[in-house]
Amino acid sequence: MRHASPAALRLSVWAYAHLLRAYPTSFRAEFGGEMALLFSDCCRDEWRSAGRAGVFCLLARAALDTLVSAPPLWAERLEETMKGQSADRRWGFWLADHGLAGGGLVLLAVGAATSWWAISLGSAALAIAFFAWVAEADGLLALPRPGRVAIRRDFGFDIPFAFKVRRGERVLLFVREEDAERGGWSDLYTVLDRPKGTDGFEPCWGLPPNPIPSGWSLRGHVPVHDLRFESHDRSTYVTRGSLERSLSAVGV
Amino acid sequence: MDRPRPPGSFLPLPDAELEILIALADGEAHGYAIMRAVAERTEGRRRLGPGTLYTALKRLLAARLIEEVVASRDAGSEEARRRLYRLSHFGSRVLEAELDRLSTLVRHGRKRLHILLPSGGRS
């Protein structure tokens, strides 16, 4: 007869499944399932031999193991990402991140001999450097590029179906509508705006913003091909010139 | 096409990778079996965590020292979710080169120790 897993086992397996998020997505996709299965087998062994304490010790060891084994994979991932970037961007990011990390280490060294505030600042700089490094490697951080505005996009390939930009105290949303008559997508973006800091239901791409969702007001329409988009890794940019022209066409 | 690297260029092998290659020298095995084999061989002194084990397996697969076995098993069964790995021919050559390197090191080390401690280090 098969008994239900004890709570300690289920909790540990659940916690380990969350720990796996520390690994890069590609690694998790390839080995995550097997790692979770292996951990659950080990949990059962520990439960039989040492009970609840053994299971929690195993979880603690697995957490340490994750701390040791995940950073080299992120480093490899970063190296691969950087290979695909322009030299300027690579060096800019390298200098910023290493500057923070180096400054953090110096502050830590100074702090060890002098005061707590240097230790705190050093730790903060190191933490920021680490997260910037991880965010860049995972494509979460859009680095500023001269003459380009980073946009938050919703799907689409070369031309986004919808994207948002901030303009002073306003948030502007460009939505491309589905053209039912011709089939496919309209050649116009509908431009909506709302004051920054207010909530607004965000219309999804493909759904015509008609009636105008609450919180938003209609600014007008701009031709899709007036805007120039560029994609770099997983970040998308629109050229500042084309954006300015489109915004002035709708009176923003 | 990349020229194959000579076995010597992989040496010295990191600990975890050497343990895995030794475990796979017995035949094909999945991750859990490798981990158990390492723990048994070292009498529990060396326990590979899932992260260490699979990052090492990833590197060994990339370097073609091991290969995945395509086994025909019932889809959906727990066994089918486990991937089997085996030592490649090239992996065997690398393992042999590493064991030769280690035995030479041990031989030299013992010789030096005998010169220093003629009793063999036993008091």
Side-chain angles (χ1 to χ4, degrees):
Chain A
M1 183 180 153
R2 191 177 168 148
H3 295 278
S5 307
L9 273 186
R10 287 199 306 273
L11 181 68
S12 296
V13 170
W14 174 84
Y16 189 69
H18 284 272
L19 268 180
L20 284 175
R21 289 165 189 246
Y23 293 98
T25 319
S26 54
F27 180 78
R28 230 166 43 219
E30 196 176 353
F31 297 107
E34 271 189 277
M35 288 167 77
L37 193 60
L38 182 140
F39 180 77
S40 123
D41 288 339
C42 295
C43 273
R44 271 193 217 110
D45 290 349
E46 285 294 329
W47 178 261
R48 278 194 286 267
S49 61
R52 188 184 300 167
V55 171
F56 288 128
C57 274
L58 178 71
L59 179 62
R61 281 204 306 273
L64 276 177
D65 179 57
T66 305
L67 273 179
V68 173
S69 58
L73 290 170
W74 281 108
E76 275 174 30
R77 175 88 170 74
L78 179 74
E79 206 178 317
E80 281 165 21
T81 307
M82 287 301 181
K83 274 182 196 160
Q85 305 298 323
S86 70
D88 284 354
R89 189 178 175 200
R90 270 203 310 270
W91 281 106
F93 180 76
W94 190 92
L95 283 173
D97 196 45
H98 284 69
L100 266 171
L105 282 175
V106 169
L107 277 168
L108 275 182
V110 170
T114 55
S115 63
W116 63 268
W117 62 264
I119 294 180
S120 313
L121 275 178
S123 311
L126 278 177
I128 293 168
F130 177 73
F131 285 112
W133 171 59
V134 168
E136 169 65 6
D138 211 22
L140 301 173
L141 183 75
L143 293 182
R145 299 177 68 82
R148 313 284 184 273
V149 177
I151 56 175
R152 277 187 54 195
R153 57 182 285 171
D154 287 338
F155 303 100
F157 298 97
D158 295 336
I159 298 174
F161 293 126
F163 68 92
K164 261 188 287 189
V165 286
R166 286 190 182 157
R167 176 88 171 176
E169 289 305 304
R170 311 213 55 88
V171 177
L172 291 141
L173 177 70
F174 289 66
V175 194
R176 206 173 167 193
E177 293 175 34
E178 204 164 0
D179 191 333
E181 282 177 22
R182 282 193 320 160
W185 299 97
S186 156
D187 291 335
L188 294 173
Y189 274 121
T190 300
V191 186
L192 306 172
D193 86 336
R194 65 173 166 85
K196 207 165 92 181
T198 57
D199 283 334
F201 168 76
E202 295 184 4
C204 301
W205 57 271
L207 294 176
N210 193 10
I212 306 296
S214 73
W216 293 92
S217 49
L218 178 68
R219 298 304 300 229
H221 301 275
V222 293
V224 168
H225 294 287
D226 281 2
L227 288 152
R228 297 273 172 269
F229 297 101
E230 284 179 13
S231 290
H232 295 272
D233 198 15
R234 276 187 262 173
S235 303
T236 304
Y237 299 82
V238 57
T239 59
R240 195 174 292 281
S242 71
L243 181 66
E244 291 300 328
R245 279 193 296 277
S246 297
L247 289 177
S248 59
V250 291
V252 178
Chain B
M1 198 178 151
D2 293 341
R3 286 179 59 193
R5 286 170 59 184
S9 68
F10 287 92
L11 310 188
L13 284 172
D15 268 4
E17 290 169 27
L18 177 61
E19 297 283 10
I20 292 170
L21 292 185
I22 291 172
L24 289 178
D26 280 342
E28 57 195 45
H30 48 64
Y32 181 62
I34 295 171
M35 203 191 71
R36 290 290 299 266
V38 172
E40 277 167 25
R41 197 181 56 71
T42 59
E43 294 168 348
R45 285 192 302 274
R46 180 87 160 105
R47 289 182 181 197
L48 296 177
T52 306
L53 176 67
Y54 280 95
T55 47
L57 283 174
K58 179 182 182 279
R59 281 194 296 268
L60 291 170
L61 280 168
R64 299 188 186 165
L65 302 192
I66 61 169
E67 51 202 16
E68 204 180 320
V69 181
V70 182
S72 54
R73 286 169 292 177
D74 288 344
S77 70
E78 198 166 87
E79 278 302 302
R81 284 169 62 202
R82 298 176 198 274
R83 289 154 70 178
L84 283 172
Y85 304 96
R86 71 171 163 226
L87 202 57
S88 66
H89 177 67
F90 181 59
S92 320
R93 287 174 54 206
V94 172
L95 178 59
E96 194 179 7
E98 176 66 344
L99 295 177
D100 284 348
R101 185 188 72 82
L102 288 173
S103 51
T104 309
L105 186 75
V106 170
R107 209 170 44 246
H108 281 286
R110 287 210 183 283
K111 206 185 281 178
R112 296 271 168 181
L113 195 63
H114 280 298
I115 294 167
L116 197 66
L117 305 168
S119 62
R122 292 178 199 95
S123 52

